[in-house]
């Protein structure tokens, strides 16, 4: 075969290959151009399902919670006022025991003080006898002076009539009487009685112990009422009523800090103390609780850690919401199927509830659901029937 025919056949093959490729490209463009196109539709808005709750304004008393330690209204250290030996101890002088005012707690040996009283009484009798004798001498001196008819000055007259001797005898009687009274008081002081109704906090006295006027025999606490110094944030003091004139302070409800009981011991606010706690810089409110004013509850104990709930000032025409329904000073309102993120004014906030005085209206429904990414005016829906839906009347119940 010649070279000319070889090259001719080669060029024919190349031309056929190029033609096939060109036809394929043209065909694919025609298919793309004539292919059907799908029309895009905007995504439908899906309303978020929420739960709602209608609100209604009312009058609510602000409630504050604080903590403190129970202390006695009065507490003293029992001390002997005379020296002596402890002869006996009263049955009520036991730590934790209750006693009444005037009960004997400690009896000292009174032998020396009885002898002292007898000695003082004898001295008084002697002084009174001397005074009686001197009064007799006064009569004799007066009679002699009148018989003699002496003309003397006032000083000489007093000496003749024995007035200095009479004054000395009277002074001796007065001193002896004071000695008797002192002896009686010392004898009485050998009996140590309870100065008020209370409980025994501690006892240091023992039978046979020698005590002096400075010896501490025990600690007594009054049981008429308890005092509690309650720590309260200074910003919350405006909600507490303090006594002023005839107006009493806020009432309080006191219970054990760890108790789950519903009942509590009732008390009142006495005053605001002049110092604050170093830790937290909280104010100290003094509260008084009468002893055992609720006999159905466990009585309060000294040094007991308690929680104190204050019934504070009443706020009128406010809305009471759960803290979970308030979001950074805003409330979510269901406004005809749209979410209205509405700013409100919080009058009072606690861990249990929030009181709102501006921003809401009676009858509005607030959203109580937890929305992850709330957007103002977003569509929302509820499972509740619309307001204009009619509810069928219940069937009559046959008697």
């Amino acid at each position: 075969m010649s070279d000319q025919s070889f090259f001719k056949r080669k060029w024919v093959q190349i031309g056929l290959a190029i033609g096939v490729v060109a036809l394929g490209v043209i065909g694919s463009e025609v298919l793309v151009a004539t292919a059907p196109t799908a029309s895009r539709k905007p995504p439908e808005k899906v309303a978020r399902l929420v739960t709602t709750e209608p609100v209604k304004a009312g009058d609510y008393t602000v409630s504050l919670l604080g903590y403190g330690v129970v202390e006695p209204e009065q507490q003293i250290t029992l001390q002997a006022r005379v020296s002596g030996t402890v002869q006996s101890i009263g049955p009520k002088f036991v730590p934790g025991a209750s006693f009444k005012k005037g009960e004997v707690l400690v009896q000292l040996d009174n032998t020396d003080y009885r002898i002292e009283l007898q000695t003082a009484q004898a001295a008084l009798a002697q002084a009174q006898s001397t005074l009686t004798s001197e009064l007799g001498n006064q009569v004799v001196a007066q009679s002699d002076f009148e018989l003699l008819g002496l003309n003397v000055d006032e000083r000489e007259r007093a000496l003749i009539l024995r007035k200095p001797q009479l004054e000395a005898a009277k002074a001796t009687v007065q001193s002896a009487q004071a000695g008797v009274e002192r002896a009686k008081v010392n004898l009485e002081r050998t009996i140590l009685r309870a100065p008020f109704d209370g409980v025994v906090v501690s006892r240091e006295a023992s039978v046979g112990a020698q005590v002096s006027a400075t010896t501490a025999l025990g600690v007594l606490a009054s049981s008429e009422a308890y005092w509690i110094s309650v720590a309260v944030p200074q910003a919350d003091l405006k909600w507490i009523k303090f006594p002023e004139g005839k107006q009493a302070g806020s009432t309080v409800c006191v219970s054990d800090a760890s108790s789950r009981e519903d009942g509590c011991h009732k008390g009142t606010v006495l005053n605001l103390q002049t110092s604050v706690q170093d830790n937290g810089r909280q104010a100290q409110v003094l509260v008084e609780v009468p002893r055992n004013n609720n006999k159905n509850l466990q009585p309060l104990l000294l040094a007991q850690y308690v929680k104190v709930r204050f019934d504070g000032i009443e706020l009128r025409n406010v809305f009471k919401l759960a803290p979970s329904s308030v979001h950074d000073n805003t409330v979510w309102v269901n406004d005809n199927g749209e979410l209205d993120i509405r700013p409100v004014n919080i009058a009072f906030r606690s861990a249990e509830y929030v009181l709102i005085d501006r921003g809401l209206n009676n009858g509005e429904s607030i959203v109580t659901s937890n929305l992850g990414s709330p957007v103002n005016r977003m569509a929302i829906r509820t499972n509740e029937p619309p307001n204009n839906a009619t509810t069928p009347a219940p069937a009559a119940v046959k008697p």
Side-chain angles (χ1 to χ4, degrees):
M1 181 181 297
S2 64
D3 292 339
Q4 185 177 3
S5 59
F6 173 78
F7 283 111
K8 183 178 181 181
R9 189 169 58 249
K10 200 72 173 174
W11 283 109
V12 171
Q13 292 175 351
I14 293 172
L16 289 174
I18 293 173
V20 170
V21 172
L23 289 174
V25 171
I26 294 171
S28 63
E29 290 181 355
V30 171
L31 290 175
V32 171
T34 59
T37 58
S39 60
R40 292 189 176 183
K41 295 181 179 180
E44 295 182 2
K45 292 184 179 180
V46 179
R48 298 277 294 273
L49 180 63
V50 297
T51 57
T52 61
E53 179 180 310
V55 293
K56 183 179 180 181
D59 301 335
Y60 298 96
T61 299
V62 172
S63 179
L64 301 174
L65 186 63
Y67 294 86
V69 177
V70 178
E71 301 174 354
E73 178 191 12
Q74 300 181 73
Q75 181 168 301
I76 66 166
T77 299
L78 184 66
Q79 292 179 298
R81 300 187 65 181
V82 294
S83 301
T85 303
V86 177
Q87 187 177 59
S88 63
I89 294 177
K92 297 295 183 66
F93 196 32
V94 179
S98 300
F99 54 80
K100 294 294 184 181
K101 180 179 180 180
E103 286 193 73
V104 176
L105 301 179
V106 178
Q107 171 72 62
L108 303 181
D109 183 10
N110 62 6
T111 303
D112 293 340
Y113 297 99
R114 285 190 289 105
I115 294 174
E116 180 183 332
L117 176 59
Q118 292 173 357
T119 302
Q121 290 172 335
L124 175 60
Q126 181 65 39
Q128 289 174 335
S129 176
T130 301
L131 176 60
T132 302
S133 298
E134 185 56 38
L135 289 174
N137 293 335
Q138 292 287 311
V139 175
V140 174
Q142 181 68 32
S143 178
D144 291 346
F145 180 78
E146 292 175 354
L147 288 176
L148 293 174
L150 298 176
N151 185 15
V152 295
D153 58 21
E154 190 63 29
R155 179 174 176 277
E156 292 177 337
R157 177 185 175 88
L159 293 174
I160 294 173
L161 294 179
R162 297 177 60 85
K163 286 188 177 181
Q165 290 84 344
L166 178 62
E167 294 299 325
K170 289 181 178 180
T172 303
V173 170
Q174 290 180 345
S175 177
Q177 287 175 337
V180 170
E181 293 300 320
R182 185 184 307 108
K184 287 181 178 179
V185 170
N186 288 337
L187 180 61
E188 178 63 26
R189 286 175 176 173
T190 60
I191 303 175
L192 280 73
R193 302 180 183 274
F196 45 66
D197 293 351
V199 294
V200 179
V201 178
S202 64
R203 189 189 84 184
E204 286 79 32
S206 298
V207 174
Q210 183 68 31
V211 300
S212 65
T214 59
T215 304
L217 303 178
V219 177
L220 310 178
S222 171
S223 60
E224 290 298 319
Y226 295 116
W227 282 359
I228 305 169
S229 185
V230 187
V232 176
Q234 297 183 52
D236 289 341
L237 292 179
K238 61 184 178 181
W239 304 116
I240 300 176
K241 292 183 292 185
F242 293 94
E244 185 176 355
K246 295 182 178 180
Q247 176 184 343
S250 295
T251 59
V252 297
C253 181
V254 180
S255 59
D256 186 82
S258 60
S259 174
R260 297 183 178 272
E261 296 182 359
D262 294 333
C264 62
H265 298 273
K266 296 294 185 179
T268 55
V269 170
L270 282 185
N271 57 46
L272 174 64
Q273 296 178 268
T274 56
S275 60
V276 297
Q277 278 187 342
D278 293 334
N279 184 15
R281 311 302 296 173
Q282 291 188 315
Q284 300 293 299
V285 178
L286 187 62
V287 168
E288 183 179 61
V289 181
R291 181 173 180 262
N292 291 340
N293 59 2
N294 190 338
K295 298 187 181 300
N296 296 324
L297 292 177
Q298 181 72 22
L300 295 176
L301 302 176
L302 296 178
Q304 182 180 3
Y305 189 60
V306 294
K307 58 184 176 183
V308 180
R309 186 176 298 277
F310 295 84
D311 293 331
I313 296 174
E314 184 181 59
L315 295 179
R316 297 183 177 275
N317 197 32
V318 293
F319 298 90
K320 185 177 183 180
L321 304 181
S324 60
S325 298
V326 182
H327 316 274
D328 295 331
N329 297 330
T330 65
V331 172
W332 300 340
V333 180
N334 182 5
D335 185 11
N336 296 321
E338 291 185 343
L339 181 67
D340 180 12
I341 301 179
R342 187 181 302 175
V344 293
N345 186 71
I346 297 176
F348 175 78
R349 183 196 294 269
S350 71
E352 300 173 349
Y353 60 88
V354 178
L355 298 180
I356 295 174
D357 59 359
R358 291 196 304 273
L360 290 176
N361 300 308
N362 274 323
E364 289 187 314
S365 294
I366 63 168
V367 177
T368 57
S369 301
N370 184 18
L371 300 176
S373 301
V375 178
N376 196 37
R377 312 316 300 184
M378 66 183 290
I380 57 176
R381 61 189 175 88
T382 68
N383 288 329
E384 302 168 2
N387 293 334
N388 57 1
T390 58
T391 303
V397 179
K398 294 182 180 181

